[in-house]
Amino acid sequence: MSRPTASRPALRVAVFGVLATVLGYALFATWLGWHEHRYREARADATATADGLVVEDGIGDDGDIRVRWTDTAGLPHVQRFTVYDTGRYTEGEHFGVAYDPTRPDPRGFPADPEETSAEDDLEVPAMLAAPVAAALCAVWAWRGLRFRRTARLDPAHPMTATVHQGDRAVRVWRGTTTTWLSLTEPGDTRSSWQRVMWHPALDDCTGETPVTVRRSRRAVVQLPDGTRLVPLGRLRGRPSGDVLLDDWAAARADLRDAFVLPDRLRAAPWWLPGARVAAVGAALGVLMGCLTGGGTLTATVGFALAVSTLLTALWALAAPQP
C-alpha cells in the first residue's frame, strides 16, 4: 500500500518562499553593510576639520541641513548632511566638518562623533529587516509543523468534500483566487469549511468526493488517491466574508478546456506570477527610493531589494494557484 503523500506543490511554494526571503534579505543586508563599511572607512580617514556654515535647515522629512565649508586647498563645498540634533544646527549656525585632506574632492562628515545618523541609516534597516525575514520563514515552519501534527491525529473521519474556488479582493502581493473545501459528515447536512493550498489532484474532484479528514482546529483532508491537502487557517463554520465562492468545475472551465492549445501556451511556469510580483516590488522600491531616499543609488537599490523580497514572500504565503 502506498504511503499517502503530502502536497508537492505546497512544498515547492514553501521552499520558494523561504529561499526568496533568505536570499532577498541576504542581498539587502550585504548591500547596506558594504556601504556602511565604506562609510566608516572614509570617515576614519577624515582627519582634517573645517568650520562650516549652515545655509539651509529642515530639508526633507528628516530635517536635514545644507552646509557650506572650505577645505585646506581653498575649494568651497556645499553639502547636505543628515543629523540627529536638528534643533541645534539651524540656518546661520556653525557646523564642524571632517574630511580627508589627501583627496582632491573630499567628502565631508560631521566632525561631532555623536552625529551618526548617516551610519545608522545604513545599519538600522538591516537590523529591523532581520526579525521580519525570520518571522516570514517561521510562518512556513509553523505551517509545516501544524500540518504534520494534524495529519497524525486519530481517528480519521470519513466525510464528503465539495471543492469551491473563492474570489477575493486583489492585492499587489497575491492572486484573487483561493481554494475552499466544504466538508460534510455522513448523514449530516451541516458543512464545515477549510481553506487549503492548491493541488492538481483537485482538478479531478467533481461534485461530492469521499475523503478522509483528520482535524483539530484545522482539517487535513486526504483525497481518494492519497493526496493530503495543506490547510490554511482554521476550520470554519462558514467561509470568510470577503470571499465569493464558485463551483470548482465551473470556475476551472476556460478556453483551454474548449480548444487544444500548444504546450507552450498551456503550461506557464508556476513561478512566473511570483517573478512578476518581484518585478513590481522592485519598481515600487525604486520609486520609494527616489521619493523618500533622496534618489541615491544606495537608497534606491536598498528599497528595491527590500520591497521586492517582502512582496515575493507574501505572494508565496498567500498560497498562489494557477
Side-chain angles (χ1 to χ4, degrees), residues 58-101:
I59 303 173
D61 296 334
D62 296 328
D64 294 350
I65 60 175
R66 186 168 282 111
V67 178
R68 181 187 296 116
W69 59 279
T70 305
D71 59 29
T72 54
L75 297 177
H77 303 269
V78 177
Q79 186 176 333
R80 179 171 171 171
F81 292 89
T82 174
V83 294
Y84 282 125
D85 197 352
T86 55
R88 174 184 174 186
Y89 301 114
T90 57
E91 186 176 349
E93 295 293 330
H94 292 278
F95 182 82
V97 178
Y99 65 96
D100 183 358

Side-chain angles (χ1 to χ4, degrees), residues 201-224:
L202 291 169
D203 292 342
D204 297 328
C205 298
T206 57
E208 294 186 348
T209 303
V211 296
T212 303
V213 178
R214 289 176 169 83
R215 61 188 179 185
S216 54
R217 295 185 60 188
R218 58 201 53 82
V220 171
V221 178
Q222 182 175 318
L223 300 178

